Amino acid sequence: VYVMVTSRRQGYKKDFPPELFRHWYLTPLSIPRALHCARRFARVHMGETDQDRVMKELAGAAQMEATARLMRSPLQVIIMATLAQSGSIPDDRWRLFSEYYRIIYDREVAKRRWKVLETNREDIHVIHNRVALLLQVECERIGQTDARLTAARLEQIVTARLSEQSLGVEILVRLTQEILRAASDRLVFLVGLE
């Protein structure tokens, strides 16, 4: 029996056809399961002193809506534990998401799979900031914390940013598609809704 497990469905393109392989889908982690996952990660990757401090940070973070939303998958839990290990989990939203984004971005660049992330870092940061501002304005307008962005709107934002660079049409189209593919296949700065 072979078992393949991933907590990141975004990059999965039905490489294992459902007719030939059974697929099971994980539901988002509950807070107790997220903390259990974090505890197991901490035991393997941290000293005893760090384990206790990180678990205390994560328990506190699990009580706040903004940070609890960042603990729904094993990968997210590991990123939050990494944040906690490197200091403390920021309690203001801007620093929290900024640090979270930095860790994810650096992790993806280190894998060297997406050259576009390494060579277009400034463009991607600007796109990220524009998307964040747009979502923040939308949240304020509708009075919720759950704004959404369509793929078409994201493409407009990416194209607008790259158009500022005076690129040729062919390069603009290719780069736009590379950035959109990286955004949908990797957890760089966006998470697709299922």
Side-chain angles (χ1 to χ4, degrees):
V1 174
Y2 291 100
V3 177
M4 170 94 108
V5 179
T6 180
S7 64
R8 186 196 324 248
R9 290 180 55 201
Q10 284 180 271
Y12 180 61
K13 303 286 190 254
K14 302 285 187 232
D15 305 302
F16 300 98
E19 309 82 53
L20 301 175
F21 298 90
R22 180 175 287 168
H23 292 76
W24 288 315
Y25 298 96
L26 301 175
T27 57
L29 296 174
S30 65
I31 293 303
R33 293 293 295 164
L35 293 174
H36 174 75
C37 180
R39 196 171 298 107
R40 292 185 66 154
F41 174 78
R43 275 190 210 130
V44 172
H45 296 282
M46 299 175 198
E48 225 172 286
T49 307
D50 275 349
Q51 286 178 40
D52 294 339
R53 186 180 56 74
V54 165
M55 290 311 300
K56 186 176 179 182
E57 282 279 329
L58 290 175
Q63 301 305 311
M64 298 184 304
E65 181 187 353
T67 46
R69 290 181 67 192
L70 296 175
M71 297 172 66
R72 292 183 177 166
S73 77
L75 176 62
Q76 290 176 324
V77 169
I78 289 168
I79 292 168
M80 290 295 284
T82 303
L83 262 177
Q85 186 179 21
S86 65
S88 64
I89 298 173
D91 44 3
D92 70 273
R93 268 184 146 177
W94 169 253
R95 282 189 328 118
L96 170 66
F97 285 101
S98 181
E99 285 299 303
Y100 191 92
Y101 169 79
R102 182 189 57 76
I103 287 173
I104 292 172
Y105 201 105
D106 290 347
R107 183 177 184 270
E108 294 299 334
V109 167
K111 291 179 183 177
R112 303 182 84 73
R113 179 168 180 244
W114 292 94
K115 189 171 178 72
V116 70
L117 299 180
E118 195 171 346
T119 58
N120 297 85
R121 188 179 288 257
E122 183 60 30
D123 290 322
I124 292 173
H125 288 329
V126 169
I127 292 164
H128 173 263
N129 287 333
R130 289 179 183 176
V131 166
L133 179 60
L134 184 69
L135 291 174
Q136 181 64 35
V137 167
E138 183 67 13
C139 282
E140 294 293 326
R141 189 178 65 74
I142 62 177
Q144 297 178 354
T145 59
D146 204 18
R148 291 172 171 81
L149 183 72
T150 65
R153 184 65 177 114
L154 175 61
E155 184 172 357
Q156 290 173 345
I157 293 168
V158 172
T159 302
R161 166 58 186 181
L162 296 177
S163 295
E164 296 167 11
Q165 307 303 316
S166 302
L167 303 170
V169 174
E170 189 177 303
I171 294 171
L172 175 76
V173 169
R174 181 184 53 77
L175 200 50
T176 297
Q177 292 310 307
E178 283 181 33
I179 290 173
L180 291 173
R181 198 168 39 259
S184 69
D185 289 357
R186 308 308 293 173
L187 277 175
V188 180
F189 53 92
L190 299 172
V191 177
L193 294 172
E194 297 288 338

